[in-house]
Amino acid sequence: MQQLEDFFSQVKDQKAVRVTLPLSNSVPKERIHCIFGAATPPAFFLFFQEGVLPSTLDAGKSCLVTVDLGGQAKSVTANITAVPDEQTLQLEAVQVISHEQARNYFRVDAHTPIIATPVNPLKNVAEQDSWHLEGETIDLSGSGVLCVFSQPLEQGKKVRINLTLPTGLMHTIESIGHVVRCEKIEEAMYHVGFHFDILASEDRDKIMASCFELQRKHLRMKVQVKNSL
């Protein structure tokens, strides 16, 4: 309960957040940017742009709300208690999930494909470590990335990371990194944090440029949602 109290004391009304919504016709959940609306904790609201809230929303399942609090990503699992209209959800927070992040670079919400593979696959096919994970990012910075995979990865494991930047020319960035954390959120959903250990300077510049562009986009989205309410 104390964690929930701390969470609500830090999240300001009208703050841009990201929610992972359960859909009735699909196993993967949909991740959407929206605006946090304060209420009496543990209750709160989420406000969406017109036409964004999925018609296939499964209100009987829990969702995950992620917010950036001073360079630290925090999430709460929440139950949907009401759908007042086509742009609003009323929810009740259940549990706080905290993601300790490297703070060398600011991070932004970023939803884009990511692939993790072995760093040095063996030439002998019979012995090759042939795992291959495809997922989506949650947030991105010049020092690392937080993402969602359907399977876990061992903390400290070295991996090759292929990341498609979500803006501009959609450049593909390749890096060697390691797993800094892996947390099971629910069945077949793991939050995995990577730190970039080897990353070309020009690729880091591209990541940072993408982060700045996303930050501007999120600010514009916040204004648009507020004006439509």
Side-chain angles (χ1 to χ4, degrees), residues 7 26 39 155 214 218 225 227:
F7 175 83
S26 177
Q155 185 170 340
L214 285 172
H218 294 164
V225 173
N227 290 342

Side-chain angles (χ1 to χ4, degrees), residues 18-19 27 53 63 70 139 149 181 189 204 206 217 228:
R18 186 174 182 175
V19 62
V27 175
L53 198 59
C63 59
D139 60 45
F149 287 126
R181 63 191 58 83
M189 178 184 284
R204 196 183 304 276
K206 290 175 183 177
K217 179 181 178 181
S228 68

Side-chain angles (χ1 to χ4, degrees), residues 150-163:
S150 61
Q151 298 178 44
L153 283 172
E154 181 183 355
Q155 185 170 340
K157 187 177 185 66
K158 285 280 188 179
V159 298
R160 186 177 301 276
I161 302 164
N162 286 88
L163 169 70

Side-chain angles (χ1 to χ4, degrees), residues 81-107:
T81 57
V83 185
D85 55 55
E86 295 181 351
Q87 291 181 251
T88 310
L89 291 181
Q90 183 174 345
L91 305 97
E92 182 174 329
V94 176
Q95 181 182 6
V96 174
I97 301 171
S98 178
H99 311 281
E100 295 296 334
Q101 297 288 329
R103 302 192 182 190
N104 296 352
Y105 299 88
F106 78 95
R107 296 175 298 106

Side-chain angles (χ1 to χ4, degrees), residues 64-217:
L64 187 74
V65 180
T66 301
V67 57
D68 192 330
L69 297 174
Q72 182 181 20
K74 283 191 176 182
S75 300
V76 289
T77 55
N79 295 325
I80 300 171
T81 57
V83 185
D85 55 55
E86 295 181 351
Q87 291 181 251
T88 310
L89 291 181
Q90 183 174 345
L91 305 97
E92 182 174 329
V94 176
Q95 181 182 6
V96 174
I97 301 171
S98 178
H99 311 281
E100 295 296 334
Q101 297 288 329
R103 302 192 182 190
N104 296 352
Y105 299 88
F106 78 95
R107 296 175 298 106
V108 296
D109 287 348
H111 180 199
T112 190
I114 187 170
I115 298 174
T117 55
V119 173
N120 294 310
L122 301 176
K123 294 182 180 180
N124 187 334
V125 177
E127 300 178 4
Q128 182 175 342
D129 182 13
S130 59
W131 60 270
H132 175 105
L133 286 180
E134 297 184 16
E136 294 176 335
T137 63
I138 295 175
D139 60 45
L140 176 66
S141 79
S143 62
V145 60
L146 180 66
C147 54
V148 176
F149 287 126
S150 61
Q151 298 178 44
L153 283 172
E154 181 183 355
Q155 185 170 340
K157 187 177 185 66
K158 285 280 188 179
V159 298
R160 186 177 301 276
I161 302 164
N162 286 88
L163 169 70
T164 301
L165 293 182
T167 60
L169 299 177
M170 306 290 286
H171 293 289
T172 299
I173 302 299
E174 183 173 300
S175 168
I176 302 298
H178 71 276
V179 178
V180 292
R181 63 191 58 83
C182 179
E183 183 175 12
K184 183 176 182 179
I185 303 303
E186 58 182 54
E187 195 64 33
M189 178 184 284
Y190 295 84
H191 282 185
V192 180
F194 293 118
H195 182 269
F196 299 137
D197 298 324
I198 302 176
L199 180 64
S201 58
E202 58 268 29
D203 285 340
R204 196 183 304 276
D205 290 341
K206 290 175 183 177
I207 292 175
M208 294 306 299
S210 184
C211 288
F212 281 120
E213 185 175 341
L214 285 172
Q215 188 179 56
R216 291 191 295 269
K217 179 181 178 181

